[in-house]
Amino acid sequence: ARARHADSLYEAAGEELAKRAPVDVLAKADSQILAEIVDRHVEKRQRRIQELAVVTSNGKLLIYDTATGSSLRTVEAHNSSIACVAYSFDSSMIATASHDHTARLWNADTYACLHILQHDRLVWAVAFSKLNRSVVASCGAENTCKIWNISNGECLKTLEHNSI
């Protein structure tokens, strides 16, 4: 697995790195060295570590570069106020929760909507599971928390709770 990861970095770094660092060196490199290679050779846009997602009361998802403060993207995400936003742990997806009775999953590279997750009332919060990376949870004003499959948008379970 480590060698496969090194091969990916090797390819991403381009021809210059290929001339200077053979695959066997990358395969034996520790995580700090691999992180340095990524920092120096992989485009910042590909890393997403400098991106910040911000939501608005008019349904927009705003993406900023935290290093420069510049706006990278504005997405017309919902028809109403957005209450919550979260990145998946691998940063490949963004989830939003809205007063339009939906949570939505977005591709973090293209900002295309992947799934619309329907609730009966306002959706207050979204969170990706740290233990099960194939699910996302959304909680709404109908006193439910729904667990969704991120691959197909299917509701796997509805948990009822008392409002605080």
Side-chain angles (χ1 to χ4, degrees):
R2 198 171 192 184
R4 259 186 278 128
H5 182 67
D7 286 343
S8 297
L9 289 173
Y10 191 80
E11 289 175 15
E15 290 181 34
E16 181 60 29
L17 181 61
K19 293 175 191 170
R20 295 183 290 132
V23 174
D24 60 324
V25 172
L26 289 174
K28 295 174 185 173
D30 67 16
S31 59
Q32 188 174 14
I33 292 171
L34 294 175
E36 184 177 331
I37 291 169
V38 170
D39 285 342
R40 289 185 181 180
H41 299 284
V42 177
E43 288 184 33
K44 290 179 183 178
R45 179 71 189 105
Q46 292 175 333
R47 293 186 316 206
R48 266 192 237 101
I49 59 171
Q50 295 186 51
E51 289 184 10
L52 173 68
V54 178
V55 293
T56 69
S57 61
N58 63 355
K60 290 184 177 144
L61 171 63
L62 309 173
I63 308 297
Y64 288 96
D65 181 329
T66 59
T68 64
S70 63
S71 174
L72 298 174
R73 185 78 171 238
T74 298
V75 180
E76 300 289 336
H78 288 270
N79 299 324
S80 189
S81 180
I82 303 175
C84 185
V85 63
Y87 273 97
S88 62
F89 286 95
D90 66 359
S91 297
S92 65
M93 284 191 222
I94 300 170
T96 53
S98 174
H99 293 190
D100 67 4
H101 303 193
T102 68
R104 297 183 188 207
L105 294 179
W106 305 89
N107 179 305
D109 287 324
T110 65
Y111 304 102
C113 183
L114 301 172
H115 302 292
I116 298 174
L117 313 173
Q118 192 67 47
H119 277 256
D120 294 330
R121 295 183 55 201
L122 309 176
V123 184
W124 297 110
V126 289
F128 286 92
S129 172
K130 199 172 192 178
L131 299 176
N132 182 349
R133 302 214 175 179
S134 65
V135 299
V136 65
S138 59
C139 295
E142 72 270 21
N143 294 335
T144 64
C145 181
K146 295 185 177 195
I147 310 298
W148 306 89
N149 179 318
I150 62 173
S151 298
N152 61 17
E154 175 188 358
C155 183
L156 301 173
K157 190 169 213 162
T158 299
L159 309 169
E160 294 191 23
H161 62 84
N162 292 326
S163 181
I164 297 174

